[in-house]
Amino acid sequence: MAELSNCSKCGRLFVKLSTRDVCESCHQEEERQFERVYAFLRKRENRTATMAQVVEATGVEEKLIIKWIRAGRLQLVHFPNLGYPCDSCGAMIREGRLCAKCLGQLQADLRRAEGEKEKEARSRRATYYTQDYQER
């Protein structure tokens, strides 16, 4: 169901759809900018452009280009020098949400936490508690 929200760009009130986080006029401006970026990248000589080169040539914010990459509107298989930042450390990646280093660290942390949980469960099973029922 649609809800009212403020546009993240201009602050106007609009009916928020699940696919958009900006009002209609800002969405149309984003579409014009997308067409500019896509037209630039479609040219054979620009397919190997880096993010900085695309931003400089088109005047479109890097943040917006990253939004389109994450949404799947710009597919990185066609553009070998483009990427987006890892959610954890900010290193440039081409797939997923985390770089290999952060993903490995997260998996190691999960294994360590699971091991500690298992160790705690084993120690709890081996511990016996008694009550002293002596009469006083």
Side-chain angles (χ1 to χ4, degrees):
M1 185 163 184
E3 62 182 67
L4 286 178
S5 182
N6 286 13
C7 176
S8 59
K9 285 200 170 215
C10 68
R12 281 191 223 138
L13 195 62
F14 74 106
V15 177
K16 185 175 184 176
L17 303 173
S18 61
T19 58
R20 286 192 220 152
D21 61 346
V22 294
C23 68
E24 183 62 29
S25 62
C26 290
H27 175 70
Q28 289 174 355
E29 177 58 29
E30 279 187 6
E31 286 303 307
R32 282 191 290 278
Q33 291 177 344
F34 175 78
E35 288 302 321
R36 194 176 330 143
V37 169
Y38 194 67
F40 174 78
L41 290 171
R42 245 189 330 227
K43 293 179 183 172
R44 184 178 221 67
E45 65 271 9
N46 295 334
R47 289 186 184 159
T48 58
T50 63
M51 182 68 76
Q53 291 169 331
V54 174
V55 169
E56 183 180 326
T58 62
V60 177
E61 294 178 359
E62 182 176 346
K63 172 174 87 169
L64 200 51
I65 297 171
I66 290 170
K67 175 183 169 182
W68 295 326
I69 292 172
R70 288 187 183 216
R73 294 189 71 190
L74 293 175
Q75 297 186 355
L76 295 180
V77 291
H78 303 297
F79 313 113
N81 293 330
L82 288 183
Y84 54 94
C86 167
D87 282 352
S88 181
C89 69
M92 291 307 268
I93 57 175
R94 295 185 49 82
E95 63 183 349
R97 299 192 64 93
L98 298 174
C99 65
K101 179 182 172 190
C102 292
L103 185 60
Q105 182 63 43
L106 181 63
Q107 289 171 337
D109 290 347
L110 286 171
R111 282 192 297 274
R112 187 175 344 102
E114 196 62 36
E116 289 173 4
K117 185 177 178 182
E118 182 64 32
K119 183 178 176 183
E120 183 181 312
R122 280 194 308 264
S123 71
R124 209 177 300 148
R125 282 182 269 169
T127 305
Y128 296 97
Y129 297 97
T130 61
Q131 271 186 321
D132 191 10
Y133 286 101
Q134 289 181 340
E135 291 185 30
R136 294 182 181 197

